[in-house]
Amino acid sequence: MSQHILKNTIEDLELVRSKSPLVHNITNYVVMNNTANALLAIGASPIMAHAIEEVEEMVTICSATVINIGTLSEPWIQSMEKAAKKAVSLGKPLVLDPVGAGASNIRNAAIRRILDAGNPTIVRGNASEILSTLSSSGKTKGVDATDSSESAVETGKSLSKVTGGVVVISGATDFILKGTDMAQITNGDALMTKVTGLGCTASALCGAFAAVQKDQFRAATSAMAVMGIAGEMAKSKTASPGSFQVAFLDALYELNADTIKQKLNAK
């Protein structure tokens, strides 16, 4: 286990709880409630706002912005573009969750438009989404069409070069990449894949940690460590997906330094 990541995760969790950062979310209908409650449970303060008339104000008053393309329409995409541009202009953390990247033309176009508006400081997705995000960026001729971890890691490194930021690939092993830096988190449980929106929650947590930790690579690593450990804590209380959702929120709230020391599996 990496003692460096252990120390950072404990310190960053305390920062989130002591500063209770406002995190602006333009996210999808499916996960709004889950995401807001997860941010509250970890110690942050969520704002869920997608109206184009107010997104710039929300970006201005918040410490980080999380854009999630799960449920799209043209007005939402315009709001995302506007929010991304404002966040970058203010030098505030911007997290992009390219949900379902590659599944439709509108999603691919939305990713291009958001990236053109402002490069995110963190992109978090599963292997398929990261592969498709790089293809959708318009700054590559394409990637090998495979979802293998090894291929996704190399693609993640390429995407990091395009954005200049951090790329997180979620899976059985979470890979956090920026430049020559790479961290791996192997905490979590397979039951997490049976609950909708936990990937979106991971992106929201990245926003919370990025809001209080200037080192965005460290922030993303701490967020994914907390996410995985909370998943293991929840699984220890239930084996069913319905009750897992509640147990997961409780785990985020109850998480402490001792539990992180006991459970963190990272390098």
Side-chain angles (χ1 to χ4, degrees):
M1 180 182 69
S2 169
Q3 293 299 316
H4 183 62
I5 295 176
L6 173 63
K7 178 176 179 290
N8 289 348
T9 302
I10 292 171
E11 290 178 356
D12 292 345
L13 177 58
E14 288 307 310
L15 278 175
V16 171
R17 288 175 171 167
S18 64
K19 294 189 175 183
S20 190
L22 279 170
V23 182
H24 175 215
N25 298 265
I26 303 178
T27 192
N28 67 77
Y29 289 121
V30 180
V31 304
M32 284 184 186
N33 182 66
N34 308 58
T35 300
N37 278 318
L39 286 169
L40 286 170
I42 202 64
S45 297
I47 291 180
M48 325 303 283
H50 57 266
I52 196 168
E53 294 83 0
E54 67 173 356
V55 290
E56 288 186 317
E57 292 175 84
M58 292 302 182
V59 171
T60 301
I61 66 172
C62 289
S63 298
T65 293
V66 180
I67 293 176
N68 177 307
I69 70 167
T71 49
L72 283 176
S73 66
E74 178 58 29
W76 279 51
I77 298 171
Q78 292 177 19
S79 291
M80 292 170 180
E81 288 180 289
K82 199 169 186 178
K85 186 175 181 179
K86 187 67 173 181
V88 171
S89 73
L90 294 174
K92 294 190 174 185
L94 174 66
V95 179
L96 172 63
D97 187 332
V99 178
S104 66
N105 289 332
I106 189 175
R107 290 179 188 276
N108 296 337
I111 291 168
R112 286 194 298 271
R113 289 167 62 177
I114 294 165
L115 291 178
D116 286 343
N119 282 330
T121 45
I122 300 173
V123 178
R124 190 225 60 86
N126 61 35
S128 296
E129 289 165 344
I130 295 303
L131 289 165
S132 296
T133 296
L134 182 61
S135 298
S136 298
S137 70
K139 300 176 184 178
T140 177
K141 292 183 179 179
V143 297
D144 190 16
T146 173
D147 293 353
S148 71
S149 296
E150 183 177 355
S151 176
V153 167
E154 292 307 310
T155 301
K157 291 178 181 178
S158 298
L159 180 59
S160 177
K161 289 179 182 179
V162 169
T163 65
V166 180
V167 172
V168 179
I169 308 168
S170 294
T173 298
D174 299 320
F175 292 94
I176 301 91
L177 311 163
K178 184 179 182 183
T180 59
D181 294 328
M182 181 172 75
Q184 299 177 47
I185 307 292
T186 54
N187 292 99
D189 188 89
L191 190 56
M192 297 172 79
T193 65
K194 302 299 182 183
V195 178
T196 188
L198 282 188
C200 303
T201 295
S203 296
L205 292 185
C206 283
F209 280 80
V212 300
Q213 174 52 251
K214 291 183 180 180
D215 183 337
Q216 300 291 280
F217 176 80
R218 170 176 165 172
T221 303
S222 295
M224 298 311 296
V226 164
M227 185 79 192
I229 292 170
E232 292 179 6
M233 292 169 65
K235 178 58 185 299
S236 71
K237 296 182 179 180
T238 179
S240 301
S243 51
F244 184 91
Q245 296 182 69
V246 176
F248 180 79
L249 291 175
D250 290 345
L252 288 177
Y253 183 78
E254 295 165 3
L255 190 61
N256 57 38
D258 288 340
T259 307
I260 295 172
K261 289 175 183 176
Q262 292 168 10
K263 292 184 175 293
L264 181 64
N265 193 349
K267 63 179 180 179

